[in-house]
Every structure is written in C-alpha cells, then in structure tokens.
Amino acid sequence: MPESEPIDSTPPWEYTLHIPNDLRAVTVSRRTLRLILTMHGLIGLVDTAELLATELVSNAVRHTKGPAALRVRWSAGVLRIGAWDADPEPPGPPGMPESPAEAEEGRGLALVRACADLWGWQPLAREGSRGKYVWCDLVTA
C-alpha cells in the first residue's frame, strides 16, 4: 500500500461580520464565532478562539472611532481570526501590565501572542477606506 500524506478534506471557508463601534459588538462577535466553529465541527478550538476574537474585536472597538469587522477563515487546518478597524495606525506592542492598576487594559495583544500560533497585522486600504487588519492563527494538530 502506498504511503500518503494526510489531507485536510474540509474545504476552505470564510465569514465576515461587520460590526458598529459599540462594546456590545464584542459579545455579538464572540457568540457568532462560537456558532460558526460549532457548525463546522471545530468545537475544540472554541474557547481559545473566543478569547482571541474578544481581544481583537475589543481593541478594534475601544481604540478606534469607526466601524469594525470580525473575519474568520479556515483553510488547510489553520483557523485565522482577524479584526479590521478604520484606524491605520499599528497596534501597540504586546506586553503584560506592570502593575495591578494596569491589569484591566493593555494585556490584549500579550494574550493573543501567548495563545495563538502566529499573529500579525497589516495596513489595509480598500474602496477609499483606510485601516488595519490584526489577525492570529490557530493551527490544528
């Protein structure tokens, strides 16, 4: 019998949820992501994916003035979660807070860096809109 490499037979898919600049959008995004992953049989990724999406969408809503979007993409065993916002400035560097007073803010990208297999950001410009896309990847075993 010839040896063959495992093939991810799940076809790629992608969802985008456009959200207003409203903190309630974080909860809507988290619950939508849970439903998407459950429907695609990726329940094992839900808890970590929800944490990552919460941090990315929260940053997009809290630190910018315009609309935002959550994008979820699956391809070849990699789940990419990203948040677009209308501010083209790069995200602040990830770092853990130095004091308990700073613990409520400033930890988002440090959590993303710690929990994701890979993360990054890129500036975006489309249809006259400028902004950035901050993303992270979860790789299935």
Side-chain angles (χ1 to χ4, degrees):
M1 218 187 296
E3 274 189 44
S4 62
E5 295 181 13
I7 297 173
D8 181 7
S9 61
T10 306
W13 49 259
E14 181 176 312
Y15 295 86
T16 301
L17 175 65
H18 296 275
I19 56 176
N21 191 294
D22 183 326
L23 284 175
R24 292 173 291 196
V26 176
T27 301
V28 171
S29 297
R30 187 174 52 244
R31 290 182 179 167
T32 301
L33 175 63
R34 176 175 282 274
L35 180 60
I36 291 168
L37 295 180
T38 300
M39 297 303 293
H40 282 282
L42 296 171
I43 195 74
L45 296 178
V46 168
D47 291 336
T48 303
E50 278 186 324
L51 172 67
L52 296 170
T54 297
E55 295 301 334
L56 296 177
V57 171
S58 179
N59 283 347
V61 172
R62 290 177 134 205
H63 302 297
T64 67
K65 296 187 184 335
L70 170 68
R71 183 172 148 195
V72 183
R73 182 180 65 181
W74 172 262
S75 181
V78 177
L79 179 69
R80 176 162 287 180
I81 303 164
W84 170 85
D85 65 56
D87 183 0
E89 291 299 313
M96 291 307 283
E98 295 178 12
S99 72
E102 297 173 337
E104 192 57 35
E105 292 190 14
R107 67 177 191 266
L109 288 180
L111 284 171
V112 170
R113 181 177 63 186
C115 295
D117 293 300
L118 187 64
W119 79 278
W121 79 279
Q122 61 196 58
L124 289 180
R126 358 176 159 147
E127 300 170 12
S129 298
R130 293 180 49 197
K132 68 178 166 296
Y133 181 63
V134 182
W135 55 268
C136 61
D137 288 347
L138 290 176
V139 179
T140 59

